[in-house]
Amino acid sequence: MTEASTTPDLAELSWQVADATSSRDVDSMMSFFATDAVMLGATGTQNGAAAIRELWEGWLGAFEELHVEVDELLDLGNGVCFAVAIQVARPRGSSGEVRQRLGFVIVRG
């Protein structure tokens, strides 16, 4: 008899990251990153968990409200997943709304 894996698949991890971001739970968000993780994006390159945490804390701090929803997920195999997410946020001190569509790749090492 084979045992079921207790490790969430990449699609499930993507949903969990979106939920942690929407709830502004930086500790939960960081639980998805290895200590030597590298994050590449429009904000530049963050090397290591401390730099990634600093980026997330600053990003979340810029908004009074923030919600992330995964719009599309593709498991590309071999530990690689591509996701498209929609971020809806209200900047601090503003009544306006920011909508952003983001594409990202998750690689499980």
Side-chain angles (χ1 to χ4, degrees):
M1 177 190 302
T2 60
E3 266 186 56
S5 173
T6 58
T7 304
D9 66 14
L10 288 173
E12 179 60 28
L13 284 174
S14 298
W15 286 103
Q16 290 174 8
V17 170
D19 289 344
T21 304
S22 292
S23 65
R24 306 169 75 91
D25 185 347
V26 177
D27 288 334
S28 286
M29 292 165 66
M30 292 309 302
S31 71
F32 300 102
F33 293 95
T35 56
D36 62 348
V38 176
M39 193 164 109
L40 308 168
T43 58
T45 302
Q46 283 70 43
N47 289 297
I52 294 169
R53 175 181 283 277
E54 184 178 339
L55 173 78
W56 281 120
E57 288 173 343
W59 185 257
L60 294 172
F63 300 102
E64 299 254 355
E65 298 173 16
L66 183 130
H67 177 74
V68 176
E69 183 174 316
V70 176
D71 188 42
E72 185 176 348
L73 262 167
L74 297 171
D75 188 336
L76 304 176
N78 296 318
V80 179
C81 179
F82 175 76
V84 176
I86 307 292
Q87 176 182 282
V88 180
R90 184 172 56 82
R92 290 208 176 276
S94 173
S95 61
E97 183 178 270
V98 175
R99 289 182 165 270
Q100 178 171 243
R101 188 175 172 99
L102 307 161
F104 55 96
V105 175
I106 298 170
V107 180
R108 182 181 295 177

